Amino acid sequence: MGVMRIGHASLKVMDMDAAVRHYENVLGMKTTMKDKAGNVYLKCWDEWDKYSLVLTPSDQAGLNHVAYKVEKDSDLDELQKKVEAWGVKTTVLPEGTLPSTGRMLQFNLPSGHEMRLYAMKEYVGTEVGTTNPDPWPDGLKGAGVHWLDHLLLMCEMNPAEGINTVADNTRFMTEALDFFLTEQVVVGPDGSIQAATWMARTTTPHDIAFVGGAKSGLHHIAFFLDSWHDVLKSADVMAKNKTKIDVAPTRHGITRGETIYFFDPSGNRNETFAGLGYLAQRDRPVTTWTEDQLWSGIFYHTGEAVPSFTDVYT
Ligand code: M3P
Ligand code: FE
């Protein structure tokens, strides 16, 4: 059956106490575990596995790796064959490499980002449980995000030198991991260059996205909220906590998401967003954004370029 959904992101942070305060008080996550190396593990109230975010102490910001959960352990063997056959080397990390987590298939995307697949993570349950659950738990902090939803990776692209790891990643995710394309931005003569793609395994418009840039890095990790009003309220929470807001609440043309972008204290960009957009299906025609309408795709209301949004990342 293969990949189910995003499982966790592992992020580098420069001030662990400030980072934990941010993810707990602004996002509303809870710390579920700490390890001897000083790594902190957190989850959202509506998630049932032990953690969806790992914070690791570092002298810089950025992504260590992103992990996706597969349905069963044997999927890891099948996907290892497909990934290797595609020409990407893999390593199997034994159970316990990350606490409370089974063995992981580790490899690098063509863009260089580290990805891991795993089948098992300790089940701890959501904060409302499974029997006659309330719609939300008491005592939610901050934005009260439901779950880690997707991430967007900046991928090295230099068409003059024939380098386009957005296109390479997209082909890899399609052919090796059976993701499907929902939306793309095309640029250049005849729109022949795939400069950004949004891809899904679930029925939401994206479980991962790739955007071309000068170097590979992390653009943002995104958390799900129920409604546009919750996005507005998350902005209020950010103002109260003196969180650095990058883009005030608005709507994407791409995915139709209702969104706000902000930074954690180390400069890793976060997004809280609402709106399921549309029902993503394998036979739904791919949406294409052309170079002249690119910024309407990103910020639908103004359609205006905000260079810092695509130039600043970790
Ligand atoms: C999203 C989204 C960029 C567009 C971002 C879109 C960085 O984050 O959730 O649809 O160009
Ligand atoms: Fe996003």
PDB file of all heavy atoms in Angstrom, residues 150 152 154 185 196 198 206 209 211 219-220 222 252 254-257 259 261 271 273 294-295 297-298 309-310, ligand 1:
ATOM      1  N   HIS A 150       1.999  19.218   5.989  1.00  0.00           N
ATOM      2  CA  HIS A 150       2.874  19.094   4.818  1.00  0.00           C
ATOM      3  C   HIS A 150       4.137  19.908   5.050  1.00  0.00           C
ATOM      4  O   HIS A 150       4.237  20.648   6.032  1.00  0.00           O
ATOM      5  CB  HIS A 150       2.173  19.590   3.537  1.00  0.00           C
ATOM      6  CG  HIS A 150       1.841  21.061   3.523  1.00  0.00           C
ATOM      7  ND1 HIS A 150       0.631  21.560   3.931  1.00  0.00           N
ATOM      8  CD2 HIS A 150       2.579  22.147   3.149  1.00  0.00           C
ATOM      9  CE1 HIS A 150       0.626  22.882   3.794  1.00  0.00           C
ATOM     10  NE2 HIS A 150       1.798  23.269   3.322  1.00  0.00           N
ATOM     11  N   LEU A 152       7.223  22.200   2.620  1.00  0.00           N
ATOM     12  CA  LEU A 152       7.620  22.673   1.296  1.00  0.00           C
ATOM     13  C   LEU A 152       9.140  22.786   1.283  1.00  0.00           C
ATOM     14  O   LEU A 152       9.729  23.464   2.133  1.00  0.00           O
ATOM     15  CB  LEU A 152       6.954  24.015   0.984  1.00  0.00           C
ATOM     16  CG  LEU A 152       7.092  24.491  -0.473  1.00  0.00           C
ATOM     17  CD1 LEU A 152       5.890  25.327  -0.886  1.00  0.00           C
ATOM     18  CD2 LEU A 152       8.372  25.281  -0.709  1.00  0.00           C
ATOM     19  N   MET A 154      12.642  23.796  -0.654  1.00  0.00           N
ATOM     20  CA  MET A 154      13.259  24.565  -1.730  1.00  0.00           C
ATOM     21  C   MET A 154      14.302  23.659  -2.378  1.00  0.00           C
ATOM     22  O   MET A 154      15.100  23.012  -1.688  1.00  0.00           O
ATOM     23  CB  MET A 154      13.936  25.821  -1.166  1.00  0.00           C
ATOM     24  CG  MET A 154      12.960  26.819  -0.576  1.00  0.00           C
ATOM     25  SD  MET A 154      11.743  27.468  -1.745  1.00  0.00           S
ATOM     26  CE  MET A 154      12.789  28.371  -2.882  1.00  0.00           C
ATOM     27  N   VAL A 185       3.868  24.892 -11.201  1.00  0.00           N
ATOM     28  CA  VAL A 185       4.182  26.182 -11.809  1.00  0.00           C
ATOM     29  C   VAL A 185       5.169  25.897 -12.928  1.00  0.00           C
ATOM     30  O   VAL A 185       6.167  25.198 -12.715  1.00  0.00           O
ATOM     31  CB  VAL A 185       4.837  27.145 -10.789  1.00  0.00           C
ATOM     32  CG1 VAL A 185       5.327  28.415 -11.479  1.00  0.00           C
ATOM     33  CG2 VAL A 185       3.870  27.483  -9.658  1.00  0.00           C
ATOM     34  N   ALA A 196       7.906  24.521  -9.834  1.00  0.00           N
ATOM     35  CA  ALA A 196       7.348  24.187  -8.522  1.00  0.00           C
ATOM     36  C   ALA A 196       6.271  23.128  -8.724  1.00  0.00           C
ATOM     37  O   ALA A 196       5.563  23.142  -9.736  1.00  0.00           O
ATOM     38  CB  ALA A 196       6.747  25.415  -7.852  1.00  0.00           C
ATOM     39  N   TRP A 198       3.281  20.483  -6.465  1.00  0.00           N
ATOM     40  CA  TRP A 198       2.555  20.086  -5.255  1.00  0.00           C
ATOM     41  C   TRP A 198       2.105  18.647  -5.490  1.00  0.00           C
ATOM     42  O   TRP A 198       1.520  18.333  -6.542  1.00  0.00           O
ATOM     43  CB  TRP A 198       1.353  21.025  -5.036  1.00  0.00           C
ATOM     44  CG  TRP A 198       1.784  22.345  -4.479  1.00  0.00           C
ATOM     45  CD1 TRP A 198       1.673  22.755  -3.179  1.00  0.00           C
ATOM     46  CD2 TRP A 198       2.428  23.434  -5.176  1.00  0.00           C
ATOM     47  NE1 TRP A 198       2.210  24.014  -3.018  1.00  0.00           N
ATOM     48  CE2 TRP A 198       2.690  24.451  -4.230  1.00  0.00           C
ATOM     49  CE3 TRP A 198       2.832  23.635  -6.501  1.00  0.00           C
ATOM     50  CZ2 TRP A 198       3.312  25.645  -4.569  1.00  0.00           C
ATOM     51  CZ3 TRP A 198       3.459  24.822  -6.854  1.00  0.00           C
ATOM     52  CH2 TRP A 198       3.687  25.816  -5.884  1.00  0.00           C
ATOM     53  N   HIS A 206      -1.890  18.710  -1.074  1.00  0.00           N
ATOM     54  CA  HIS A 206      -0.463  18.353  -1.037  1.00  0.00           C
ATOM     55  C   HIS A 206      -0.048  17.758   0.296  1.00  0.00           C
ATOM     56  O   HIS A 206      -0.445  18.196   1.361  1.00  0.00           O
ATOM     57  CB  HIS A 206       0.450  19.515  -1.428  1.00  0.00           C
ATOM     58  CG  HIS A 206       0.392  20.733  -0.571  1.00  0.00           C
ATOM     59  ND1 HIS A 206      -0.773  21.250  -0.065  1.00  0.00           N
ATOM     60  CD2 HIS A 206       1.377  21.558  -0.132  1.00  0.00           C
ATOM     61  CE1 HIS A 206      -0.501  22.341   0.629  1.00  0.00           C
ATOM     62  NE2 HIS A 206       0.787  22.546   0.615  1.00  0.00           N
ATOM     63  N   ALA A 209       5.610  19.600  -1.130  1.00  0.00           N
ATOM     64  CA  ALA A 209       5.725  20.504  -2.277  1.00  0.00           C
ATOM     65  C   ALA A 209       7.185  20.860  -2.491  1.00  0.00           C
ATOM     66  O   ALA A 209       7.989  20.840  -1.547  1.00  0.00           O
ATOM     67  CB  ALA A 209       4.899  21.774  -2.037  1.00  0.00           C
ATOM     68  N   VAL A 211       9.752  23.719  -4.549  1.00  0.00           N
ATOM     69  CA  VAL A 211       9.856  24.990  -5.270  1.00  0.00           C
ATOM     70  C   VAL A 211      11.329  25.213  -5.624  1.00  0.00           C
ATOM     71  O   VAL A 211      12.217  25.002  -4.781  1.00  0.00           O
ATOM     72  CB  VAL A 211       9.322  26.170  -4.416  1.00  0.00           C
ATOM     73  CG1 VAL A 211       9.598  27.509  -5.102  1.00  0.00           C
ATOM     74  CG2 VAL A 211       7.816  26.015  -4.165  1.00  0.00           C
ATOM     75  N   HIS A 219      11.599  25.469   3.091  1.00  0.00           N
ATOM     76  CA  HIS A 219      10.793  26.685   3.011  1.00  0.00           C
ATOM     77  C   HIS A 219       9.872  26.790   4.210  1.00  0.00           C
ATOM     78  O   HIS A 219       9.883  27.786   4.914  1.00  0.00           O
ATOM     79  CB  HIS A 219       9.992  26.766   1.712  1.00  0.00           C
ATOM     80  CG  HIS A 219       9.337  28.099   1.537  1.00  0.00           C
ATOM     81  ND1 HIS A 219       8.088  28.388   2.040  1.00  0.00           N
ATOM     82  CD2 HIS A 219       9.790  29.241   0.976  1.00  0.00           C
ATOM     83  CE1 HIS A 219       7.796  29.652   1.786  1.00  0.00           C
ATOM     84  NE2 HIS A 219       8.808  30.191   1.131  1.00  0.00           N
ATOM     85  N   HIS A 220       9.063  25.765   4.458  1.00  0.00           N
ATOM     86  CA  HIS A 220       8.220  25.788   5.662  1.00  0.00           C
ATOM     87  C   HIS A 220       7.688  24.408   6.003  1.00  0.00           C
ATOM     88  O   HIS A 220       7.651  23.520   5.154  1.00  0.00           O
ATOM     89  CB  HIS A 220       7.050  26.764   5.502  1.00  0.00           C
ATOM     90  CG  HIS A 220       6.026  26.377   4.475  1.00  0.00           C
ATOM     91  ND1 HIS A 220       6.060  26.815   3.172  1.00  0.00           N
ATOM     92  CD2 HIS A 220       4.931  25.588   4.536  1.00  0.00           C
ATOM     93  CE1 HIS A 220       5.031  26.328   2.498  1.00  0.00           C
ATOM     94  NE2 HIS A 220       4.319  25.569   3.303  1.00  0.00           N
ATOM     95  N   ALA A 222       4.035  23.005   7.726  1.00  0.00           N
ATOM     96  CA  ALA A 222       2.683  23.568   7.834  1.00  0.00           C
ATOM     97  C   ALA A 222       1.793  22.701   8.724  1.00  0.00           C
ATOM     98  O   ALA A 222       1.850  21.472   8.667  1.00  0.00           O
ATOM     99  CB  ALA A 222       2.042  23.693   6.463  1.00  0.00           C
ATOM    100  N   HIS A 252      -3.979  31.388  -0.691  1.00  0.00           N
ATOM    101  CA  HIS A 252      -3.216  30.921  -1.852  1.00  0.00           C
ATOM    102  C   HIS A 252      -4.166  30.674  -3.023  1.00  0.00           C
ATOM    103  O   HIS A 252      -5.270  30.150  -2.820  1.00  0.00           O
ATOM    104  CB  HIS A 252      -2.585  29.558  -1.579  1.00  0.00           C
ATOM    105  CG  HIS A 252      -1.501  29.546  -0.575  1.00  0.00           C
ATOM    106  ND1 HIS A 252      -0.382  30.322  -0.664  1.00  0.00           N
ATOM    107  CD2 HIS A 252      -1.348  28.815   0.542  1.00  0.00           C
ATOM    108  CE1 HIS A 252       0.404  30.065   0.351  1.00  0.00           C
ATOM    109  NE2 HIS A 252      -0.156  29.168   1.115  1.00  0.00           N
ATOM    110  N   ILE A 254      -2.849  28.654  -5.433  1.00  0.00           N
ATOM    111  CA  ILE A 254      -2.401  27.262  -5.423  1.00  0.00           C
ATOM    112  C   ILE A 254      -2.973  26.582  -4.171  1.00  0.00           C
ATOM    113  O   ILE A 254      -2.826  27.113  -3.062  1.00  0.00           O
ATOM    114  CB  ILE A 254      -0.853  27.206  -5.409  1.00  0.00           C
ATOM    115  CG1 ILE A 254      -0.281  27.819  -6.701  1.00  0.00           C
ATOM    116  CG2 ILE A 254      -0.361  25.773  -5.228  1.00  0.00           C
ATOM    117  CD1 ILE A 254       1.188  28.199  -6.616  1.00  0.00           C
ATOM    118  N   THR A 255      -3.625  25.489  -4.322  1.00  0.00           N
ATOM    119  CA  THR A 255      -4.243  24.667  -3.253  1.00  0.00           C
ATOM    120  C   THR A 255      -5.462  25.334  -2.592  1.00  0.00           C
ATOM    121  O   THR A 255      -6.155  24.721  -1.807  1.00  0.00           O
ATOM    122  CB  THR A 255      -3.284  24.254  -2.099  1.00  0.00           C
ATOM    123  OG1 THR A 255      -3.068  25.357  -1.226  1.00  0.00           O
ATOM    124  CG2 THR A 255      -1.972  23.721  -2.615  1.00  0.00           C
ATOM    125  N   ARG A 256      -5.704  26.634  -2.864  1.00  0.00           N
ATOM    126  CA  ARG A 256      -6.813  27.402  -2.279  1.00  0.00           C
ATOM    127  C   ARG A 256      -6.701  27.567  -0.768  1.00  0.00           C
ATOM    128  O   ARG A 256      -7.662  27.930  -0.091  1.00  0.00           O
ATOM    129  CB  ARG A 256      -8.178  26.771  -2.604  1.00  0.00           C
ATOM    130  CG  ARG A 256      -8.457  26.624  -4.077  1.00  0.00           C
ATOM    131  CD  ARG A 256      -9.804  25.962  -4.305  1.00  0.00           C
ATOM    132  NE  ARG A 256     -10.021  25.639  -5.706  1.00  0.00           N
ATOM    133  CZ  ARG A 256     -10.791  24.632  -6.120  1.00  0.00           C
ATOM    134  NH1 ARG A 256     -11.430  23.875  -5.254  1.00  0.00           N
ATOM    135  NH2 ARG A 256     -10.937  24.410  -7.398  1.00  0.00           N
ATOM    136  N   GLY A 257      -5.539  27.285  -0.207  1.00  0.00           N
ATOM    137  CA  GLY A 257      -5.369  27.322   1.248  1.00  0.00           C
ATOM    138  C   GLY A 257      -5.525  28.725   1.826  1.00  0.00           C
ATOM    139  O   GLY A 257      -5.185  29.727   1.197  1.00  0.00           O
ATOM    140  N   THR A 259      -4.164  31.010   4.789  1.00  0.00           N
ATOM    141  CA  THR A 259      -2.821  30.793   5.331  1.00  0.00           C
ATOM    142  C   THR A 259      -2.242  31.974   6.087  1.00  0.00           C
ATOM    143  O   THR A 259      -2.638  33.115   5.867  1.00  0.00           O
ATOM    144  CB  THR A 259      -1.872  30.453   4.149  1.00  0.00           C
ATOM    145  OG1 THR A 259      -0.564  30.215   4.646  1.00  0.00           O
ATOM    146  CG2 THR A 259      -1.812  31.599   3.153  1.00  0.00           C
ATOM    147  N   TYR A 261       2.023  32.824   7.388  1.00  0.00           N
ATOM    148  CA  TYR A 261       3.394  32.339   7.552  1.00  0.00           C
ATOM    149  C   TYR A 261       4.087  33.125   8.646  1.00  0.00           C
ATOM    150  O   TYR A 261       3.887  34.337   8.780  1.00  0.00           O
ATOM    151  CB  TYR A 261       4.202  32.511   6.265  1.00  0.00           C
ATOM    152  CG  TYR A 261       3.749  31.608   5.153  1.00  0.00           C
ATOM    153  CD1 TYR A 261       2.814  32.044   4.233  1.00  0.00           C
ATOM    154  CD2 TYR A 261       4.259  30.317   5.018  1.00  0.00           C
ATOM    155  CE1 TYR A 261       2.384  31.217   3.208  1.00  0.00           C
ATOM    156  CE2 TYR A 261       3.833  29.486   3.993  1.00  0.00           C
ATOM    157  CZ  TYR A 261       2.902  29.949   3.097  1.00  0.00           C
ATOM    158  OH  TYR A 261       2.485  29.128   2.095  1.00  0.00           O
ATOM    159  N   GLU A 271       3.866  27.529   8.824  1.00  0.00           N
ATOM    160  CA  GLU A 271       2.586  27.960   8.244  1.00  0.00           C
ATOM    161  C   GLU A 271       1.479  27.328   9.085  1.00  0.00           C
ATOM    162  O   GLU A 271       1.591  26.163   9.474  1.00  0.00           O
ATOM    163  CB  GLU A 271       2.478  27.461   6.796  1.00  0.00           C
ATOM    164  CG  GLU A 271       1.128  27.742   6.131  1.00  0.00           C
ATOM    165  CD  GLU A 271       1.006  27.160   4.707  1.00  0.00           C
ATOM    166  OE1 GLU A 271       1.727  26.204   4.368  1.00  0.00           O
ATOM    167  OE2 GLU A 271       0.169  27.671   3.949  1.00  0.00           O
ATOM    168  N   PHE A 273      -2.570  26.783   8.369  1.00  0.00           N
ATOM    169  CA  PHE A 273      -3.470  27.003   7.247  1.00  0.00           C
ATOM    170  C   PHE A 273      -4.762  26.231   7.477  1.00  0.00           C
ATOM    171  O   PHE A 273      -4.830  25.291   8.276  1.00  0.00           O
ATOM    172  CB  PHE A 273      -2.814  26.596   5.917  1.00  0.00           C
ATOM    173  CG  PHE A 273      -2.922  25.142   5.627  1.00  0.00           C
ATOM    174  CD1 PHE A 273      -3.843  24.672   4.700  1.00  0.00           C
ATOM    175  CD2 PHE A 273      -2.154  24.231   6.313  1.00  0.00           C
ATOM    176  CE1 PHE A 273      -3.971  23.320   4.457  1.00  0.00           C
ATOM    177  CE2 PHE A 273      -2.272  22.879   6.075  1.00  0.00           C
ATOM    178  CZ  PHE A 273      -3.174  22.422   5.150  1.00  0.00           C
ATOM    179  N   LEU A 294       2.221  33.577 -11.626  1.00  0.00           N
ATOM    180  CA  LEU A 294       2.846  32.873 -10.511  1.00  0.00           C
ATOM    181  C   LEU A 294       2.458  33.460  -9.150  1.00  0.00           C
ATOM    182  O   LEU A 294       2.086  32.741  -8.222  1.00  0.00           O
ATOM    183  CB  LEU A 294       4.368  32.925 -10.708  1.00  0.00           C
ATOM    184  CG  LEU A 294       5.265  32.630  -9.524  1.00  0.00           C
ATOM    185  CD1 LEU A 294       5.055  31.196  -9.057  1.00  0.00           C
ATOM    186  CD2 LEU A 294       6.724  32.840  -9.920  1.00  0.00           C
ATOM    187  N   TRP A 295       2.527  34.798  -9.024  1.00  0.00           N
ATOM    188  CA  TRP A 295       2.286  35.414  -7.710  1.00  0.00           C
ATOM    189  C   TRP A 295       0.805  35.410  -7.344  1.00  0.00           C
ATOM    190  O   TRP A 295       0.470  35.459  -6.155  1.00  0.00           O
ATOM    191  CB  TRP A 295       2.922  36.792  -7.613  1.00  0.00           C
ATOM    192  CG  TRP A 295       4.402  36.638  -7.429  1.00  0.00           C
ATOM    193  CD1 TRP A 295       5.364  36.710  -8.385  1.00  0.00           C
ATOM    194  CD2 TRP A 295       5.072  36.278  -6.212  1.00  0.00           C
ATOM    195  NE1 TRP A 295       6.602  36.438  -7.840  1.00  0.00           N
ATOM    196  CE2 TRP A 295       6.453  36.172  -6.513  1.00  0.00           C
ATOM    197  CE3 TRP A 295       4.648  36.038  -4.900  1.00  0.00           C
ATOM    198  CZ2 TRP A 295       7.407  35.834  -5.538  1.00  0.00           C
ATOM    199  CZ3 TRP A 295       5.606  35.708  -3.931  1.00  0.00           C
ATOM    200  CH2 TRP A 295       6.966  35.606  -4.261  1.00  0.00           C
ATOM    201  N   GLY A 297      -0.905  32.785  -7.919  1.00  0.00           N
ATOM    202  CA  GLY A 297      -0.942  31.432  -7.379  1.00  0.00           C
ATOM    203  C   GLY A 297      -0.501  31.417  -5.926  1.00  0.00           C
ATOM    204  O   GLY A 297      -1.091  30.746  -5.088  1.00  0.00           O
ATOM    205  N   ILE A 298       0.545  32.189  -5.642  1.00  0.00           N
ATOM    206  CA  ILE A 298       1.075  32.193  -4.271  1.00  0.00           C
ATOM    207  C   ILE A 298       0.180  33.034  -3.356  1.00  0.00           C
ATOM    208  O   ILE A 298      -0.253  32.560  -2.305  1.00  0.00           O
ATOM    209  CB  ILE A 298       2.543  32.673  -4.271  1.00  0.00           C
ATOM    210  CG1 ILE A 298       3.396  31.687  -5.100  1.00  0.00           C
ATOM    211  CG2 ILE A 298       3.068  32.771  -2.842  1.00  0.00           C
ATOM    212  CD1 ILE A 298       4.858  32.065  -5.226  1.00  0.00           C
ATOM    213  N   PHE A 309       9.625  36.134   0.308  1.00  0.00           N
ATOM    214  CA  PHE A 309       8.906  34.888   0.577  1.00  0.00           C
ATOM    215  C   PHE A 309       9.581  33.692  -0.092  1.00  0.00           C
ATOM    216  O   PHE A 309       9.556  32.581   0.440  1.00  0.00           O
ATOM    217  CB  PHE A 309       7.450  35.013   0.118  1.00  0.00           C
ATOM    218  CG  PHE A 309       6.619  33.800   0.455  1.00  0.00           C
ATOM    219  CD1 PHE A 309       6.354  33.456   1.781  1.00  0.00           C
ATOM    220  CD2 PHE A 309       6.115  32.990  -0.550  1.00  0.00           C
ATOM    221  CE1 PHE A 309       5.606  32.330   2.081  1.00  0.00           C
ATOM    222  CE2 PHE A 309       5.364  31.861  -0.249  1.00  0.00           C
ATOM    223  CZ  PHE A 309       5.105  31.534   1.076  1.00  0.00           C
ATOM    224  N   THR A 310      10.158  33.925  -1.252  1.00  0.00           N
ATOM    225  CA  THR A 310      10.811  32.792  -1.927  1.00  0.00           C
ATOM    226  C   THR A 310      12.337  32.833  -1.804  1.00  0.00           C
ATOM    227  O   THR A 310      13.004  31.840  -2.084  1.00  0.00           O
ATOM    228  CB  THR A 310      10.413  32.745  -3.424  1.00  0.00           C
ATOM    229  OG1 THR A 310      10.411  34.074  -3.945  1.00  0.00           O
ATOM    230  CG2 THR A 310       9.024  32.143  -3.597  1.00  0.00           C
TER     231      THR A 310
HETATM  232  C1  M3P B   1       1.900  26.681   0.125  1.00  0.00           C
HETATM  233  C2  M3P B   1       0.697  25.874   0.284  1.00  0.00           C
HETATM  234  C3  M3P B   1       5.299  29.003  -2.503  1.00  0.00           C
HETATM  235  C4  M3P B   1       3.951  28.543  -2.275  1.00  0.00           C
HETATM  236  C5  M3P B   1       3.523  27.999  -1.155  1.00  0.00           C
HETATM  237  C6  M3P B   1       2.244  27.343  -1.032  1.00  0.00           C
HETATM  238  C7  M3P B   1       6.367  28.889  -1.501  1.00  0.00           C
HETATM  239  O1  M3P B   1       2.639  26.764   1.181  1.00  0.00           O
HETATM  240  O2  M3P B   1       0.473  25.360   1.383  1.00  0.00           O
HETATM  241  O3  M3P B   1      -0.060  25.719  -0.694  1.00  0.00           O
HETATM  242  O4  M3P B   1       5.571  29.497  -3.555  1.00  0.00           O
END
